[in-house]
Structures are given as C-alpha cells and as structure tokens.
C-alpha cells in the first residue's frame, strides 16, 4: 500500500501527506498475491503497476476515460 501511495503521489505531481492507520483486528500484516492460477489460464501482466497507473492517470487527465 505504501508503494501504491508513493506511486500515485509521484504520478499526480502533488505533495500529499500519507496517513497511516492502526491495523484492524485480524488484518494480515504481510500478504503476497499469488497469480499462479490465473497464469495457468494463460494470463500474464502486460504492464508494471506504476506504468499502468501512469497510463490511466494520463488518460483521465486528457479526458479519455
């Protein structure tokens, strides 16, 4: 989540403070996504997260979304 927040701040070009809240009961502190099942169906990511966010942001700013 921290990486996502940093990427969005960088892409948006604004200095936005990031606030950290206390974890909720039962919340996992570390969680890794497992794409093995989707990959077994032939899916592969075509863009890195930051690149996809940047393209989405630029599309919205230009009014294309």
């Amino acid at each position: 989540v921290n990486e996502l927040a940093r990427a969005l701040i960088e892409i948006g070009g604004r200095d936005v403070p990031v606030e950290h809240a206390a974890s909720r009961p039962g919340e996992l502190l570390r969680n890794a996504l497992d794409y093995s099942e989707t990959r077994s169906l032939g899916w592969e990511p075509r863009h890195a997260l930051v690149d996809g966010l940047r393209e989405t942001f630029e599309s919205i700013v230009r009014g294309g979304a």
Side-chain angles (χ1 to χ4, degrees):
V1 172
N2 289 327
E3 180 183 345
L4 178 61
R6 283 190 296 271
L8 291 170
I9 289 168
E10 178 186 330
I11 291 166
R14 294 189 178 183
D15 188 17
V16 179
V18 176
E19 297 180 20
H20 297 274
S23 60
R24 297 175 290 206
E27 184 175 20
L28 296 174
L29 296 179
R30 290 231 171 243
N31 191 6
L33 298 176
D34 179 7
Y35 293 109
S36 59
E37 188 171 336
T38 55
R39 286 191 165 129
S40 73
L41 298 171
W43 179 87
E44 287 289 331
R46 292 184 290 194
H47 302 281
L49 174 63
V50 173
D51 296 335
L53 290 171
R54 185 172 284 114
E55 287 181 31
T56 301
F57 181 82
E58 289 173 3
S59 175
I60 291 169
V61 169
R62 285 180 287 184

